[in-house]
Amino acid sequence: MTYGIGYASALALTGIAFALVHWHVFSLDWTLGIVFGLALLQILVHFRCFLHITLGRSARADLQLLLFSTLIVSLMVAGTLVVVFNLRSRMM
Amino acid sequence: MDGLSGPEFRHVGLNLQDHPSLTTQQVESNIFGFWVFLMSDAVIFALLFAVYGTMLVGTAGGPGPAQEFKIGPAFLETLILLTSSFTFGMASMSMKYGRSALGLFCWLLVTLFLGLAFLGMELNDFAAMFAHGAVPQRSGFLSSFFVLVGMHGLHVTAGALWIIVMMVQICVFGLDARVKINIIRLGLFWHFLDVVWVVIFSVVYLQGLMR
């Protein structure tokens, strides 16, 4: 019953993230960091429990595709952020 | 423990024992092809997120995230979408273990209703924003917000239409191997949209509400 476990942990992670923002538990920087950390954890839960990506041999090709896409995505996102923020700071 | 045709193949929902015409390898390459599509979709979303991140401060004196976003509806939409992912999981389970297609059909129907409820709430949010003058052409921030969240909404709309198509296919063809593979693809698509929404509520709504 991976779906039950996935649903419960997804609900818990979502609830914590919204609660932190709603009740201003920590300072702004800390909250931002924790919320992004919780999101990353929740993405892993979704991939493991809902999309059935495991470290076993049966999902090896899917896992490799996923890791390669993650590399491409992080390169493009990081590049976009660096270039556009740099442009902004020079234009302002 | 599970009635799959090959030990290598573990996607939930597939039971090809009655369909010897389809080999496990064929099915695996079909599903893998769909994963490639999903990852190209992920690239689109990632770049829209990057653009949103750079545009967060570009409100041009217009309405900003703190005034326009409401934590209540955002939380409710998140709960609805998470629950729809769970009900789709139940649909996959009943496709794998169920004796008839009825359980699968009912879970798909529940998932469809949850998807439509999510879309209704999102459109309601957009309408409220439009009423305050927060339209896409107002500022860079609003343009990137509506492109990013609207793109996800369009995907959910496509997913809802796809669920309807699959329900019709179940009625017309019954649960043959082709229909089963299509439902597995639809499941991957639906769960993937949920993952994108996790990033949207963290990066867009929660980050915006913090300020």
Side-chain angles (χ1 to χ4, degrees):
Chain A
M1 281 308 292
T2 60
Y3 289 111
I5 299 166
Y7 185 51
S9 35
L11 279 184
L13 290 166
T14 308
I16 296 170
F18 273 90
L20 285 180
V21 173
H22 188 61
W23 283 297
H24 306 284
V25 184
F26 299 109
S27 71
L28 206 143
D29 289 342
W30 272 100
T31 314
L32 194 64
I34 295 172
V35 163
F36 285 174
L38 288 173
L40 200 63
L41 205 59
Q42 191 168 350
I43 289 171
L44 293 179
V45 167
H46 280 243
F47 272 111
R48 174 66 188 79
C49 296
F50 294 148
L51 290 159
H52 310 295
I53 299 294
T54 56
L55 296 174
R57 266 181 60 208
S58 60
R60 192 51 62 82
D62 292 350
L63 181 68
Q64 281 169 350
L65 173 71
L66 208 67
L67 291 176
F68 179 67
S69 310
T70 310
L71 175 70
I72 297 291
V73 159
S74 45
L75 281 176
M76 288 198 294
V77 168
T80 307
L81 291 178
V82 166
V83 170
V84 181
F85 274 127
N86 189 278
L87 263 180
R88 172 180 292 281
S89 69
R90 284 164 190 273
M91 301 266 287
M92 289 297 161
Chain B
M1 80 192 219
D2 46 11
L4 298 180
S5 53
E8 294 284 289
F9 194 78
R10 305 216 338 189
H11 274 288
V12 170
L14 205 68
N15 183 349
L16 289 174
Q17 277 184 333
D18 335 329
H19 312 284
S21 58
L22 272 172
T23 68
T24 308
Q25 269 184 339
Q26 270 175 328
V27 175
E28 270 193 359
S29 72
N30 281 347
I31 303 290
F32 185 72
F34 196 72
W35 265 108
V36 174
F37 159 72
L38 283 184
M39 288 302 105
S40 64
D41 225 18
V43 169
I44 295 176
F45 276 112
L47 291 180
L48 288 177
F49 276 115
V51 170
Y52 178 83
T54 60
M55 281 294 156
L56 199 54
V57 286
T59 51
Q67 299 118 51
E68 287 307 323
F69 299 160
K70 306 275 175 293
I71 198 165
F75 187 55
L76 207 57
E77 282 160 28
T78 306
L79 286 187
I80 290 174
L81 215 55
L82 280 180
T83 309
S84 82
S85 224
F86 177 69
T87 57
F88 204 107
M90 290 298 102
S92 302
M93 296 298 278
S94 64
M95 176 161 85
K96 187 174 175 185
Y97 298 112
R99 297 234 165 269
S100 70
L102 187 68
L104 169 63
F105 193 86
C106 292
W107 282 117
L108 282 182
L109 195 65
V110 174
T111 311
L112 176 65
F113 274 122
L114 289 170
L116 293 178
F118 170 82
L119 282 174
M121 283 198 70
E122 188 161 70
L123 286 176
N124 192 36
D125 284 359
F126 284 2
M129 285 179 76
F130 280 6
H132 304 163
V135 288
Q137 57 267 41
R138 179 65 190 81
S139 65
F141 158 69
L142 287 168
S143 303
S144 56
F145 168 80
F146 279 110
V147 171
L148 172 58
V149 181
M151 182 73 157
H152 179 267
L154 277 180
H155 275 75
V156 176
T157 312
L161 286 176
W162 194 357
I163 292 181
I164 296 172
V165 169
M166 287 326 298
M167 284 161 64
V168 172
Q169 284 197 3
I170 292 170
C171 293
V172 176
F173 301 119
L175 263 186
D176 64 6
R178 227 168 20 131
V179 173
K180 280 183 179 175
I181 293 172
N182 279 342
I183 290 177
I184 291 177
R185 286 199 193 102
L186 172 58
L188 290 179
F189 185 69
W190 198 262
H191 294 311
F192 171 75
L193 290 185
D194 216 21
V195 174
V196 174
W197 183 259
V198 169
V199 187
I200 288 186
F201 84 67
S202 305
V203 171
V204 176
Y205 286 99
L206 290 182
Q207 185 176 209
L209 283 164
M210 262 177 237
R211 282 157 201 272

